[in-house]
Amino acid sequence: MEFRSSERGIELFADDGFDLKNTFDCGQCFRWDEQPDGSYTGVVRGKRLRVYSVDNGIVLENCSEEDFDGIWLDYFDLNTDYNAIKKEISELCPALKDAAESISGIRILRQEPWEALCSFIISQNNNIPRIKGIVSRLCEGFGEKKDGCYSFPSAETLSRLSVEELAPLRAGFRARYILDAAKKVADGEVALDAMYELPLEECRKELMKIVGVGAKVAECTLLYGLHRLEAFPVDVWMKKALADSFSGVTAEGLGRYAGIAQQYIFHYTRNISE
DNA sequence: GCCCAGGTATAAA
DNA sequence: TTTATACATGGG
């Protein structure tokens, strides 16, 4: 990935692809919004950014080199070669090659572990517009305001609240799950930062100590919050897809990039069935 | 109004 | 161990 500073901000020339829509609207994150002009704005670690496509790349508007080095280079995972990953997955079988083509330019963002965990707890039995609404109210209600935007509230902050205090979120039955997660993360019973290195099976066991965290939320947390690209979130949809169009494909067979293959498969099967 | 949302806890078979 | 239901809320 090449990039350079300009009067517009930081410009990216992604030879391995960076499609804003496929990346921000694929269901991996909930704090990026498409604007009427096609650009996207989002908040990461308390910093707001607007990004938009140009003919030969992506512009991170008014982005300083300091913020780029400190946040965005890492967050957008710009040092990972997604072409190489796509190629590796495509070589596993022809169906996966087709699937990989169906959502070009998707990148797996390096979200913060706690934000991802909390967001995917909220996501259960829920739809994306409503998830985004709840996350937004969570940040505005309990995050810290800085430079006109709200950070995602820490586990420590949320751990001191009650379900009554979370009522304005309208998160429904998930409110007590959020609090249980906040308490267990804040007091160290569930150590998220250790999970960058821990074997996946141990991570799952730890995460599922939290009430409201099952196999799916645990796997999403590992893939999207800890960038464990081998994590493979399997749900009913995915089981059906694997049975129908990808017979013979298993999580084990997908190897170290199973999570990315899963994204390809999910979107491919959605597109052909709708 | 009705169906459903990239689930999970809980109570039965 | 596997299978059914309730769960809060609101988008389409």
Side-chain angles (χ1 to χ4, degrees):
Chain A
M1 171 74 72
E2 292 184 36
F3 44 85
R4 70 157 186 247
S5 246
S6 79
E7 67 283 353
R8 294 195 283 199
I10 304 282
E11 302 192 21
L12 309 178
F13 307 96
D15 50 8
D16 60 343
F18 185 172
D19 183 278
L20 297 181
K21 187 168 189 55
N22 285 344
T23 298
F24 293 136
D25 288 338
C26 69
Q28 68 169 314
C29 57
F30 304 100
R31 289 198 80 189
W32 287 91
D33 296 313
E34 186 174 14
Q35 304 303 126
D37 64 0
S39 67
Y40 280 81
T41 60
V43 181
V44 174
R45 295 191 230 171
K47 288 263 184 182
R48 177 174 296 283
L49 182 69
R50 189 169 90 94
V51 303
Y52 56 91
S53 295
V54 290
D55 284 345
N56 56 351
I58 304 282
V59 175
L60 313 185
E61 188 178 62
N62 297 329
C63 180
S64 68
E65 294 199 20
E66 185 188 350
D67 283 347
F68 183 70
D69 293 338
I71 299 176
W72 306 109
L73 180 64
D74 175 74
Y75 181 78
F76 292 126
D77 200 25
L78 300 179
N79 286 322
T80 297
D81 183 349
Y82 281 82
N83 264 346
I85 294 174
K86 179 177 168 183
K87 186 163 182 288
E88 190 169 322
I89 293 170
S90 296
E91 284 169 354
L92 293 175
C93 76
L96 283 170
K97 187 170 162 57
D98 291 340
E101 302 295 337
S102 74
I103 182 157
S104 60
I106 188 175
R107 311 185 77 80
I108 306 298
L109 302 169
R110 289 184 186 264
Q111 300 179 63
E112 291 181 280
W114 164 247
E115 176 172 342
L117 169 60
C118 200
S119 298
F120 282 98
I121 285 172
I122 292 167
S123 82
Q124 66 184 76
N125 195 231
N126 213 340
N127 56 63
I128 290 176
R130 187 160 172 264
I131 296 162
K132 289 172 81 167
I134 294 170
V135 169
S136 172
R137 292 189 287 277
L138 181 67
C139 296
E140 288 175 19
F142 305 104
E144 286 179 34
K145 190 171 188 179
K146 200 174 63 179
D147 303 330
C149 64
Y150 293 91
S151 63
F152 195 92
S154 68
E156 288 73 19
T157 298
L158 296 182
S159 69
R160 296 185 212 103
L161 302 175
S162 63
V163 286
E164 290 75 24
E165 289 170 293
L166 289 188
L169 301 182
R170 287 170 280 153
F173 62 87
R174 306 165 193 85
R176 71 185 181 97
Y177 299 165
I178 295 169
L179 293 183
D180 192 64
K183 288 194 181 87
K184 284 173 178 158
V185 169
D187 74 13
E189 186 179 344
V190 175
L192 292 176
D193 285 337
M195 295 182 191
Y196 285 107
E197 303 295 336
L198 223 55
L200 216 54
E201 194 47 55
E202 288 181 44
C203 298
R204 292 188 187 107
K205 206 172 77 183
E206 287 298 300
L207 287 166
M208 288 171 67
K209 286 181 183 171
I210 297 164
V211 181
V213 174
K216 178 72 191 304
V217 172
E219 216 69 9
C220 286
T221 301
L222 289 166
L223 177 56
Y224 304 119
L226 290 135
H227 212 74
R228 298 291 298 261
L229 300 182
E230 75 275 36
F232 189 77
V234 177
D235 57 11
V236 176
W237 241 109
M238 188 53 57
K239 281 178 181 156
K240 186 174 182 334
L242 292 179
D244 293 350
S245 308
F246 298 86
S247 53
V249 174
T250 62
E252 298 73 42
L254 288 171
R256 59 184 168 153
Y257 298 124
I260 297 180
Q262 173 267 359
Q263 275 288 7
Y264 295 160
I265 293 168
F266 182 77
H267 288 276
Y268 179 70
T269 54
R270 281 225 135 172
N271 288 339
I272 61 175
S273 67
E274 283 176 3

